[in-house]
Amino acid sequence: MIADKYAEEIEGILARFPHKKSAVLPLMHLAQREYGYMSEDAMREVAGILDLDPTHVLSLAGFYSLFHEEPTGKYVLEICNDLACALRGADEFVEMVCRKLDIPLGGTTEDGLFTVKGVMCLGACDRAPMLQYNLKFAEHLDEEKFDNLIAYLREEAASGEEPPSVVEKIAAYAKK
Amino acid sequence: MAHILLRHRDVENIHKLDVYRANGGYEGLKKALTEMTPAEVIDVVRASGLRGRGGAGFPTGIKWGFIPKDAEEVYILINTDESETGTFKDRELSEKNPHQVIEGAIIAAYAVGAKRIYNYFRGEFMDAGYAMEEAVQECYANGLLGENILGTDFSCDFVCHYGAGAYICGEETALIKSLEGERGQPWSKPPFPAIEGLYSKPTVVNNTETMANVPQILVNGAEWYTSMGTEKSTGPKIVCMSGHVENPGNYEVIMGTTYRELIEMAGGMRDGKAFKALLPSGGSGPVITADALDAPLTYEGLDAHNSVMGSASVIVMDETTDMVWAAQKMIHFFHHESCGKCTPCREGTFWMEKVLHRLMNGQGTEKDIETLNSVAAQMKGRTLCALGEFAINPVLSTIRLFPEEYKAKVKNSQSEDWEKALATQ
Amino acid sequence: MSDLVKLIIDGVEVEVPKGTLIVDAAKQIGNDIPVFCYHPKLEPVGMCRMCLVEVGFPMRDRATGEFVLDENGKPKLNFGRGLQTACTTPVGEGIEVRTTTEPVKDAQSSVLEFLLSSHPLDCPICDKGGECPLQNLTMQHGHGTTRMVYSDKLHLNKHVPLGELIYLDQERCIQCARCIRFQEEVVDDPVIRFHNRGRRTEIVTMSDPGFNSYWSGNTTDICPVGALTTADFRFGARPWEMKPAASLCTHCPVGCNTTFSTRREAKSGGKHVIKRVMPRQNEWVNELWMCDKGRFGHHYAADSAARLKRPLIRKNGELVEVSWSEALDFAAGKLQQYGTAVAGLSGDRLSNEDLFQFQKLFRKGLKSHNIDLAARRLAGGDVVAKVGLSSGSNLKELGKGDAIIVVASDLHEEAPVWWLRVKQAAERGAALIVLNVRSTRLDKYASHVRHYAPGQAVDAVRQLVNFAKVEGDSNGDALSAAAETAANANNLVIFYGSEGVDYEETAVIAQHLANLLLMKNGDGHAGRPNNGLIPVWPHNNTQGAWDMGVHPAFGPGYAALETPGLNAAAIYEGAANGEIKALFVMGADPVGDGLMADRGQLEFLAVQELFLTETAQLADVVLPAQSWAEREGTFTSGERRVQRYYPAVLPIGDNKADWQILAEIGERVGLGKPAFAASLIFNEVAKAVTQYKGMDYRTLAQVVKQWPDVGGEDGYYAGNAQKNRAGLGQVWASAAESGDAVAYDVAETAVHVNDGLALIRTAALYTPGTLISQSDVLADRLAQPTISLNAQDAAQMELAEGDLIDVNVAGDTIAALVHINNTPAGLMLLSGVPYVAGTAVAQIGQEIKD
Ligand SMILES: Cc1cc2nc3c(=O)[nH]c(=O)nc-3n(C[C@H](O)[C@H](O)[C@H](O)COP(=O)(O)O)c2cc1C
Ligand code: SF4
Ligand code: FES
């Protein structure tokens, strides 16, 4: 339950707005971080904290593209293949990634570690090809750097020790 | 040239409060709070000619002046949604020199009587947001935010907020809805945010870069600012150079610099290829070709070329670029990002993508080009917000400037490509 | 009025109040600007873009602020801002609107082409076909052709249950958000929403049960396409095959105006059957809305197999079918046998004609005043006659500066449309004062809430009135602030109900509240429009029963009797101990409702009914009556609006109207030839009931032009787009309106002190009962017997959420589910069971394990 795990953070987030409803995106980010995706239970939990109808949360989960309503891999690799990046080889990069991970675009690797998605501009066109994994930027990529990244992430996953995500770090600010 | 907005490139660690202050930081704020009335602050900004850097170029001082003087609750909203294809300046400003933005926003808050500033980052910018959160913490710890800022009786809070992936949230009314915890969908103006904005209270929405301009205007004065640029387009501007240039990145220039100079600054065309076209305002402005390269980068500079400076995110394309492909990429973006609220945009982007897809697959007909043109005409001037208007720009302008490439796609339908397309069905 | 604005629309000058939207201004002069997302009862959003028009704004000189004039000295117009949405743009002085120019036509046909490009065009099998705004506007403004490729159409799900009552066809939806906005803005049940964005936008719900709202059916009316349909109508009939019949809802005292759509069907032997019920516009009563109980709970009337069809007489212990003459002779003969030991009990769902004839049979024919309502719950009809909501009122007009008090009632469950209108008045700025023993859904909108202790309702009301007397003495107490607000309000409307209070207490409460209305701080509220008392009666025609004199102490028109007859309680007692020998029960089931144990010492029991109820099963003669759907008549709402309903279908079996049965018995006991039409009886009513003077079936059928203007050529109201041609009814004037009301000298009542756990029965809209259990569609919504209490009390009794336990109340044992919520300490609320007045002491029995 994020309500317990992040009780102080949530209290702080709520204090930042004159109306509770404004806290819905921050809480959804926390919930997705906690449960990996916006499961039905996660939506009901967020709705419960904010006295919203759960349908409201579902509606937002569908509207905002960073929320996943289905389980994903542990790392969601969101590769920008929008025009500016595509002019610098993003489409070929996507192809390479899919080939390496042996999944189609949108698919998840069998070990459940990686999901690959093509996304719209991420504000890093000058560093294409690039991707975001769980909201972290990886830029100026090529095949070798991508291999290194994957190796690093596999290691991290195997170690079972995950550094705090930026979502948590930001939520922690609300505490003070 | 020394940087004005991108000073972090000249001054190391300027993201730290002490470094920022050691380099004249928060002097503008101090001047505003201790020497000037709110009305005087607005006057200076108006006199500087500063116009919104979010794309529409609305004069910032005039916008601030719209806030009712007797309003009890006013909000400042910084727009760091930056989701336009090819745009990455607000991210750099937030990550590398957050205090400059914070200072500008506090000055704005003082000018319009706001007690709270929200900075809306697109959800993907949490890293940049984190840098800003750190800076905000420093401000609170040093009397620059919170109660009695700099010992005056002005108090103001600053809250960072994060979206979750939706280009439309950059549109100011959609941004407000999103911050209120709703679907980020724009409303039909009026009412304008200056009268009924966040939580139905008067609200100033300004782009991150706009805010970043404010501190130095306060320190150096309006005249210093108007001495840069042209009559209608004053001051410095960050240009995001991307695509087929040698060194893509942000470049700070004085308004009036030509597009040709910009390409040169970015190291020229990549691999020495010939220039073909560029998108001057990310995905949303009409494409321009070589004949427009000597036009100045100003709000009005591309008028004669049926295009706009917009957010000055310049996507450069060389001779190898298939313009129909580029148009398809862009319409895919707008179809993906259309919020679905109004009919012409929701349906129009869907159909334009279908048709362009058909053309790209070599299954298009001559009539499809006509259809694209007329669907675009059906959207023009009829959508609820400007996203629909943006969406038709790359399509209409490429059809206008590169008709033969479209026709070639149709012709190809009789050739090998056509066979191939059928075979892959 | 000074704030009128003059503008020109297509060359026609029109003057409308400032702030009017262009689309509404155009409608005033018969110019139907096409719309989809716009609905006059919803906030405009300008999203479908169907209503784009050209608007010229007068130009002003920047420097001087003066109008720029052309060579004729007229202000120059600027048409340069492009097309504007008529649904969001308010009128302005001197603007000119053009709705038929080429750019406008092109915009309209373009929007239609866009909408149709994703639409399945399955009109031949669509329930909306024939009354579909999309169809109609396409005929008027569409291209006739499209350039989109059919195979590119998006294919989506066509039978998505949003719940078991409402189905969604995702392909047909044009994303106008009328349904979502209605649920959010109007009724505050935001349980349906858009999901996804762009072309993938679709409607979803996560509520449990699906589409959990008492208002869901209204979305199917206002949906401008066939995307939303009701479970009991979809694929049932084509709109043009159906005949409308104006009617009234019979479920609560609001008196919503409705329309039955009927059609002849082979499977019903060629007879007319009711296919659906929709609200009929009456801006004074229900505007364009109705609740789902009314919409889905009508099946008991005409399509229930359980209906009685022939008269029955008990022979050799069995009820057997007989002819009408045998049954009537038998009943008349028996009723006359027992002198004054005869009594009559009636339900309060019957028509004024029935009720009038009922009291006439007893008073004039059988010379007995022993008549009453079988289930008395709320007193004060006589008080209402004096200070009831004044004629000429409309709850829609209450807003800033006005006050509404609601005492001891959960309007959301008891009278949903009143809840809606009170909520909306509060949203417009009216001060809402809620007095109850516990929180209800009204609290959210209230400016003053007082939760009094169980048993102390009378005391709380008395305090409120006393505080109001002492002007300006707000001592910080919530009640005293509320009293001050009420006393100083421009207009004051008071609702009172019977939650947790017994009949005698409600009588006292009504008098206190009357005194508050009569108090002369300003002008006194009583007697002025938009002021007065509204009783939350248990049934749709309880008001009529009081008016007709179905009361042991009053004759028709509240004429007090010198020697009152026995009231219901005394009649039940009399039946048990033999003092009453013959009992006639009409439209009520006292045995089934637990008011009467059995026949007791009765020598004769006659029951006039729709169904073979538990009481009817014990009867000597059972007289089968027509339901209201089979005949005509009048009901009087809680706002004292006398309204007509009309026959929709042919009578079932040999059944007769209640008044007719009574009149034919009357003929047999010497009352002369029976009237042959309900209207003639109503004429008698208008003579006997002074308040109804001047009314007849024609005056009740009068209509005036209503706004919004439903039923025109535009068709944009979709399903409920039928003009009300059947009548708006008439409100009878309270005594206060002619200055004939004086304050009550209210008797002191003892303050209840409860020891132990108090138990109050509360209303639930879908409380299972004879009537709504006949509607299969509502089966899953029926309220389960539930006991609500707070966490501490539950912990003390070792009860957990969801436990099934026995509750003993006043000798009854009820199995109920435990629900833990914010119920005040020391109190238990029992819902989902038939209502019994007052506050009881309860005992929790064994937990039931299954
Ligand atoms: C579809 C759409 C997307 C937009 N995105 C952005 C954006 O990402 N950042 C931004 O500052 N302005 C964006 N704008 C412009 C804003 O609506 C608004 O004009 C701007 O934030 C005002 O700030 P300024 O006056 O400082 O430019 C967008 C507008 C539209 C119509
Ligand atoms: S279901 Fe009907 S009312 Fe609801 S959005 Fe779709 S078309 Fe509009
Ligand atoms: S936009 Fe005006 S009716 Fe829909």
Side-chain angles (χ1 to χ4, degrees):
Chain A
M1 295 285 275
I2 60 165
D4 302 331
K5 181 165 173 189
Y6 297 110
E8 274 183 69
E9 284 88 342
I10 291 173
E11 201 182 311
I13 290 170
L14 291 178
R16 292 178 154 195
F17 308 100
H19 301 282
K20 263 196 203 173
K21 201 197 266 179
S22 282
V24 66
L25 292 184
L27 263 51
M28 286 172 78
H29 280 302
L30 271 180
Q32 178 153 298
R33 164 72 190 159
E34 184 66 17
Y35 305 113
Y37 73 107
M38 289 309 294
S39 64
E40 198 182 314
D41 286 344
M43 296 191 216
R44 290 193 190 279
E45 193 187 338
V46 171
I49 297 171
L50 299 175
D51 292 330
L52 293 170
D53 190 281
T55 310
H56 187 92
V57 182
L58 171 62
S59 170
L60 300 186
F63 186 85
Y64 293 100
S65 60
L66 279 181
F67 297 123
H68 316 298
E69 288 175 56
E70 300 292 332
T72 62
K74 185 171 175 58
Y75 300 99
V76 184
L77 309 180
E78 298 184 298
I79 310 173
C80 171
N81 58 352
D82 209 349
L83 178 63
C85 278
L87 291 170
R88 300 184 77 81
D91 286 339
E92 295 74 11
F93 183 74
V94 167
E95 235 170 77
M96 184 274 291
V97 168
C98 289
R99 187 161 31 81
K100 288 238 146 152
L101 295 176
D102 195 22
I103 44 171
L105 200 56
T108 301
T109 51
E110 255 172 40
D111 57 8
L113 277 187
F114 303 105
T115 299
V116 178
K117 291 176 109 187
V119 299
M120 300 297 107
C121 183
L122 288 170
C125 329
D126 52 338
R127 304 161 198 198
M130 57 78 59
L131 60 78
Q132 255 195 342
Y133 61 98
N134 299 5
L135 297 178
K136 285 198 262 298
F137 282 95
E139 300 168 328
H140 290 303
L141 293 178
D142 55 23
E143 188 164 344
E144 190 191 328
K145 285 191 194 150
F146 175 73
D147 288 343
N148 291 344
L149 175 68
I150 293 294
Y152 168 77
L153 293 178
R154 281 192 203 285
E155 225 169 89
E156 183 181 283
S159 77
E161 273 168 45
E162 236 179 298
S165 80
V166 65
V167 173
E168 285 164 304
K169 287 192 328 201
I170 281 174
Y173 270 111
K175 276 207 266 189
K176 291 160 205 160
Chain B
M1 176 195 114
H3 291 100
I4 296 169
L5 302 168
L6 300 179
R7 257 188 326 152
H8 56 274
R9 295 187 178 177
D10 310 331
V11 183
E12 218 175 310
N13 287 330
I14 200 165
H15 64 280
K16 297 223 165 81
L17 180 58
D18 48 350
V19 180
Y20 182 69
R21 283 189 113 164
N23 287 277
Y26 291 105
E27 288 304 319
L29 176 66
K30 193 166 150 201
K31 186 166 174 190
L33 291 187
T34 57
E35 296 170 28
M36 298 166 80
T37 64
E40 283 166 350
V41 174
I42 295 180
D43 283 344
V44 171
V45 174
R46 198 184 282 136
S48 76
L50 172 63
R51 292 170 65 174
R53 303 302 196 223
F58 195 86
T60 306
I62 295 183
K63 187 186 272 187
W64 295 3
F66 286 151
I67 298 294
K69 297 286 164 284
D70 49 357
E72 267 181 27
E73 221 177 316
V74 179
Y75 291 102
I76 299 283
L77 247 169
I78 310 173
N79 189 342
T80 318
D81 189 61
E82 189 160 72
S83 308
E84 180 73 53
T85 305
T87 314
F88 39 87
K89 61 192 178 63
D90 300 337
R91 180 181 164 207
E92 182 172 348
L93 285 171
S94 310
E95 269 176 9
K96 299 285 162 50
N97 193 354
H99 282 294
Q100 179 176 240
V101 178
I102 297 171
E103 184 182 357
I106 306 173
I107 294 169
Y110 173 70
V112 300
K115 293 190 184 55
R116 183 167 294 176
I117 299 159
Y118 286 102
N119 191 352
Y120 185 103
F121 289 88
R122 63 181 294 190
E124 296 88 340
F125 278 4
M126 287 202 193
D127 271 342
Y130 185 63
M132 179 94 38
E133 302 257 12
E134 292 266 305
V136 168
Q137 282 301 311
E138 285 183 304
C139 288
Y140 272 106
N142 290 281
L144 290 160
L145 278 171
E147 298 295 311
N148 302 105
I149 295 176
L150 290 172
T152 67
D153 54 13
F154 180 67
S155 305
C156 187
D157 285 313
F158 193 108
V159 175
C160 295
H161 188 77
Y162 305 87
Y167 165 65
I168 186 62
C169 292
E171 197 283 336
E172 54 186 6
T173 60
L175 185 147
I176 289 170
K177 280 284 150 210
S178 178
L179 184 44
E180 288 176 354
E182 296 286 341
R183 292 159 65 86
Q185 292 187 313
W187 71 70
S188 165
K189 292 181 270 194
F192 289 92
I195 307 301
E196 260 180 61
L198 184 61
Y199 310 122
S200 300
K201 304 287 190 266
T203 302
V204 167
V205 185
N206 269 133
N207 173 254
T208 313
E209 185 188 349
T210 311
M211 288 303 188
N213 272 278
V214 173
Q216 301 209 44
I217 292 177
L218 267 281
V219 172
N220 301 320
E223 239 169 81
W224 164 78
Y225 199 81
T226 54
S227 73
M228 294 178 275
T230 67
E231 191 195 334
K232 287 187 181 153
S233 307
T234 55
K237 176 83 192 85
I238 303 175
V239 182
C240 313
M241 298 296 294
S242 67
H244 293 149
V245 289
E246 202 57 59
N247 305 314
N250 284 320
Y251 293 87
E252 182 178 327
V253 298
I254 299 301
M255 290 271 198
T257 309
T258 67
Y259 287 90
R260 191 182 303 283
E261 286 166 335
L262 280 167
I263 293 174
E264 272 159 29
M265 286 170 85
M269 297 302 292
R270 194 176 64 169
D271 303 335
K273 293 252 169 40
F275 170 85
K276 180 172 189 177
L278 66 77
L279 281 153
S281 177
S284 61
V287 166
I288 57 173
T289 47
D291 61 326
L293 281 182
D294 291 314
L297 178 103
T298 58
Y299 288 101
E300 61 284 1
L302 290 177
D303 283 357
H305 303 276
N306 300 308
S307 193
V308 291
M309 176 184 91
S311 52
S313 4
V314 176
I315 305 174
V316 179
M317 292 170 279
D318 69 19
E319 56 191 330
T320 66
T321 316
D322 175 343
M323 295 312 287
V324 184
W325 168 83
Q328 186 214 0
K329 274 274 178 198
M330 278 330 305
I331 207 65
H332 173 67
F333 173 87
F334 288 113
H335 171 220
H336 190 267
E337 298 301 331
S338 169
C339 81
K341 186 167 179 176
C342 78
T343 310
C345 177
R346 179 182 68 237
E347 306 291 339
T349 54
F350 173 78
W351 282 98
M352 287 205 290
E353 181 168 13
K354 286 260 177 203
V355 175
L356 274 163
H357 199 73
R358 209 159 43 230
L359 280 164
M360 279 306 291
N361 281 347
Q363 292 156 309
T365 65
E366 194 95 32
K367 237 183 107 206
D368 281 332
I369 305 173
E370 236 175 82
T371 305
L372 277 178
N373 258 326
S374 74
V375 169
Q378 279 174 239
M379 294 169 68
K380 199 171 165 49
R382 296 173 189 171
T383 53
L384 191 150
C385 84
L387 189 146
E389 301 275 323
F390 294 166
I392 63 180
N393 280 333
V395 178
L396 281 185
S397 61
T398 49
I399 295 179
R400 174 165 50 80
L401 295 167
F402 304 95
E404 65 295 343
E405 291 195 25
Y406 278 87
K407 288 207 191 92
K409 288 281 186 294
V410 173
K411 248 205 344 277
N412 278 351
S413 59
Q414 319 303 333
S415 69
E416 286 167 23
D417 284 4
W418 172 238
E419 310 257 342
K420 224 165 62 195
L422 282 182
T424 57
Q425 277 284 294
Chain C
M1 237 183 2
S2 63
D3 39 4
L4 284 179
V5 169
K6 235 186 232 157
L7 69 155
I8 291 173
I9 304 175
D10 292 339
V12 182
E13 195 177 87
V14 50
E15 205 173 21
V16 291
K18 202 174 151 194
T20 305
L21 298 166
I22 289 177
V23 64
D24 292 339
K27 187 133 294 179
Q28 314 260 315
I29 50 170
N31 187 335
D32 294 332
I33 296 174
V35 297
F36 286 115
C37 66
Y38 179 67
H39 191 286
K41 297 277 183 193
L42 303 175
E43 286 294 316
V45 287
M47 60 197 268
C48 76
R49 318 304 285 175
M50 189 60 201
C51 65
L52 289 168
V53 292
E54 282 189 271
V55 185
F57 299 90
M59 284 163 36
R60 281 180 193 273
D61 187 304
R62 283 224 173 162
T64 62
E66 297 291 305
F67 286 122
V68 180
L69 302 181
D70 65 11
E71 55 276 15
N72 303 323
K74 292 224 170 112
K76 261 196 187 160
L77 294 176
N78 171 14
F79 279 90
R81 289 198 219 164
L83 299 176
Q84 307 285 317
T85 40
C87 74
T88 61
T89 313
V91 296
E93 184 64 40
I95 66 167
E96 186 182 335
V97 179
R98 297 175 183 165
T99 76
T100 56
T101 58
E102 277 312 311
V104 172
K105 283 191 198 157
D106 185 54
Q108 290 167 344
S109 69
S110 303
V111 169
L112 277 165
E113 187 189 34
F114 277 139
L115 289 175
L116 293 173
S117 69
S118 284
H119 194 80
L121 302 176
D122 56 351
C123 310
I125 53 152
C126 177
D127 290 311
K128 210 71 162 202
E131 56 184 22
C132 172
L134 181 59
Q135 234 179 15
N136 295 344
L137 293 181
T138 301
M139 297 302 286
Q140 287 170 37
H141 305 281
H143 263 306
T145 57
T146 178
R147 289 148 307 144
M148 314 303 182
V149 181
Y150 189 82
S151 61
D152 279 351
K153 266 183 194 291
L154 207 58
H155 291 293
L156 299 166
N157 294 327
K158 298 188 70 69
H159 307 285
V160 183
L162 290 177
E164 78 284 16
L165 295 177
I166 308 289
Y167 280 73
L168 168 69
D169 183 317
Q170 292 179 331
E171 287 191 333
R172 291 181 190 155
C173 173
I174 60 167
Q175 282 90 16
C176 69
R178 276 188 184 183
C179 51
I180 291 170
R181 287 147 59 212
F182 170 82
Q183 287 299 134
E184 176 162 9
E185 287 169 26
V186 181
V187 299
D188 195 13
D189 281 338
V191 296
I192 54 168
R193 290 258 170 193
F194 280 138
H195 187 235
N196 295 337
R197 66 185 186 217
R199 190 58 200 88
R200 292 170 307 128
T201 302
E202 64 195 34
I203 291 161
V204 289
T205 180
M206 255 177 97
S207 72
D208 184 19
F211 206 154
N212 188 15
S213 169
Y214 288 164
W215 308 96
S216 65
N218 295 294
T219 62
T220 67
D221 295 337
I222 59 175
C223 176
V225 293
L228 293 173
T229 49
T230 56
D232 63 344
F233 175 65
R234 62 199 308 261
F235 302 125
R238 310 315 309 275
W240 59 84
E241 302 165 346
M242 296 188 290
K243 257 185 28 185
S247 192
L248 299 167
C249 178
T250 57
H251 285 294
C252 88
V254 173
C256 288
N257 291 205
T258 61
T259 305
F260 282 120
S261 298
T262 69
R263 171 180 94 157
R264 292 166 80 94
E265 278 189 356
K267 63 175 183 232
S268 308
K271 279 204 207 153
H272 274 281
V273 295
I274 294 171
K275 299 305 293 181
R276 64 177 179 187
V277 176
M278 281 181 160
R280 173 167 55 102
Q281 187 185 26
N282 188 332
E283 289 297 314
W284 291 264
V285 179
N286 54 312
E287 304 181 30
L288 288 166
W289 317 124
M290 71 187 296
C291 80
D292 285 353
K293 186 179 184 183
R295 188 184 301 263
F296 297 112
H298 65 87
H299 294 279
Y300 77 87
D303 52 329
S304 164
R307 284 283 303 281
L308 290 166
K309 296 180 185 68
R310 306 225 145 51
L312 306 170
I313 286 184
R314 187 170 301 281
K315 291 184 176 167
N316 303 324
E318 296 281 308
L319 285 170
V320 293
E321 290 189 358
V322 296
S323 71
W324 268 112
S325 56
E326 185 181 345
L328 294 169
D329 288 345
F330 177 60
K334 282 289 187 183
L335 287 170
Q336 285 172 295
Q337 250 177 43
Y338 302 99
T340 52
V342 54
L345 291 169
S346 168
D348 33 3
R349 280 201 178 83
L350 294 111
S351 75
N352 289 326
E353 294 75 7
D354 303 335
L355 294 161
F356 182 78
Q357 200 64 36
F358 181 75
Q359 63 84 32
K360 181 172 164 189
L361 173 66
F362 276 86
R363 295 216 160 93
K364 297 239 166 91
L366 303 171
K367 310 282 186 276
S368 165
H369 292 306
N370 298 337
I371 54 168
D372 204 349
L373 293 178
R376 294 192 314 167
R377 206 165 101 180
L378 184 64
D382 49 335
V383 182
V384 171
K386 295 201 169 151
V387 298
L389 183 74
S390 298
S391 52
S393 297
N394 187 343
L395 296 178
K396 208 168 75 169
E397 287 162 11
L398 294 174
K400 232 185 170 61
D402 302 328
I404 299 175
I405 305 177
V406 180
V407 180
S409 174
D410 183 350
L411 288 180
H412 187 246
E413 305 291 334
E414 296 182 56
V417 166
W418 280 345
W419 171 84
L420 174 60
R421 303 188 97 211
V422 167
K423 160 197 174 274
Q424 289 185 317
E427 285 169 342
R428 283 188 299 268
L432 174 60
I433 298 160
V434 178
L435 273 66
N436 205 336
V437 69
R438 48 114 191 184
S439 58
T440 66
R441 257 200 93 171
L442 268 186
D443 292 8
K444 178 174 169 191
Y445 314 96
S447 39
H448 308 269
V449 177
R450 164 53 70 95
H451 294 158
Y452 47 74
Q456 302 196 359
V458 175
D459 207 47
V461 173
R462 188 195 357 251
Q463 276 185 46
L464 177 80
V465 179
N466 286 342
F467 276 129
K469 277 185 202 151
V470 196
E471 209 184 337
D473 180 27
S474 176
N475 67 358
D477 180 286
L479 214 47
S480 101
E484 194 177 332
T485 306
N488 296 326
N490 293 337
N491 296 303
L492 177 61
V493 171
I494 308 179
F495 291 84
Y496 75 103
S498 51
E499 188 175 295
V501 277
D502 61 29
Y503 190 79
E504 281 67 34
E505 288 174 315
T506 59
V508 177
I509 288 174
Q511 293 185 353
H512 276 306
L513 296 172
N515 288 353
L516 181 56
L517 284 160
L518 288 163
M519 202 172 286
K520 295 261 188 232
N521 274 1
D523 299 341
H525 287 110
R528 289 194 281 123
N530 295 330
N531 286 274
L533 190 60
I534 303 178
V536 189
W537 295 124
H539 291 117
N540 64 312
N541 204 29
T542 318
Q543 181 69 51
W546 280 83
D547 297 352
M548 297 308 116
V550 180
H551 194 287
F554 299 114
Y558 299 89
L561 297 171
E562 268 173 35
T563 43
L566 299 177
N567 68 20
I571 292 170
Y572 293 130
E573 216 181 293
N577 65 23
E579 264 169 49
I580 294 293
K581 299 211 157 40
L583 179 63
F584 189 99
V585 178
M586 170 170 89
D589 182 16
V591 177
D593 291 344
L595 299 166
M596 190 165 102
D598 48 33
R599 278 182 62 133
Q601 310 269 329
L602 287 176
E603 289 177 23
F604 175 69
L605 174 62
V607 173
Q608 184 168 306
E609 252 301 350
L610 302 179
F611 303 101
L612 196 63
T613 59
E614 286 183 42
T615 314
Q617 287 168 28
L618 301 174
D620 299 301
V621 55
V622 179
L623 304 164
Q626 293 170 1
S627 77
W628 95 111
E630 295 148 62
R631 54 184 173 122
E632 66 175 338
T634 62
F635 297 134
T636 306
S637 78
E639 296 176 79
R640 299 183 333 289
R641 182 173 291 270
V642 186
Q643 305 190 97
R644 272 182 78 176
Y645 61 86
Y646 298 77
V649 292
L650 288 174
I652 286 183
D654 295 340
N655 297 3
K656 294 176 190 249
D658 291 271
W659 58 264
Q660 194 180 4
I661 303 171
L662 295 165
E664 289 178 12
I665 297 174
E667 185 182 20
R668 286 167 170 78
V669 303
L671 285 180
K673 270 229 138 327
F676 56 84
S679 58
L680 299 177
I681 300 187
F682 190 80
N683 290 347
E684 254 185 85
V685 168
K687 281 197 206 100
V689 180
T690 47
Q691 291 85 349
Y692 285 48
K693 205 170 150 200
M695 291 183 192
D696 63 35
Y697 268 26
R698 277 163 310 185
T699 63
L700 298 183
Q702 277 165 3
V703 288
V704 295
K705 200 170 165 168
Q706 301 187 65
W707 180 263
D709 184 7
V710 170
E713 294 294 298
D714 56 69
Y716 67 57
Y717 298 88
N720 46 359
Q722 289 162 2
K723 217 181 205 82
N724 185 345
R725 296 194 168 79
L728 297 166
Q730 273 181 281
V731 177
W732 57 266
S734 71
E737 290 177 56
S738 45
D740 290 342
V742 286
Y744 288 89
D745 192 3
V746 191
E748 284 288 320
T749 42
V751 175
H752 282 261
V753 184
N754 270 288
D755 36 33
L757 217 45
L759 180 136
I760 286 177
R761 301 202 193 202
T762 59
L765 187 65
Y766 299 132
T767 299
T770 323
L771 304 188
I772 68 166
S773 53
Q774 306 285 332
S775 285
D776 294 341
V777 274
L778 285 177
D780 287 352
R781 304 266 158 164
L782 295 185
Q784 302 297 320
T786 302
I787 202 101
S788 308
L789 71 177
N790 75 22
Q792 285 95 323
D793 288 344
Q796 225 166 43
M797 289 181 273
E798 294 177 5
L799 297 177
E801 177 80 23
D803 282 355
L804 186 61
I805 55 159
D806 269 340
V807 191
N808 302 315
V809 222
D812 277 350
T813 302
I814 297 164
L817 288 167
V818 171
H819 177 48
I820 296 173
N821 63 7
N822 63 350
T823 300
L827 181 62
M828 286 195 292
L829 305 172
L830 179 58
S831 63
V833 297
Y835 186 86
V836 176
T839 302
V841 173
Q843 272 164 356
I844 298 297
Q846 287 291 303
E847 182 174 346
I848 305 168
K849 300 247 160 62
D850 50 6

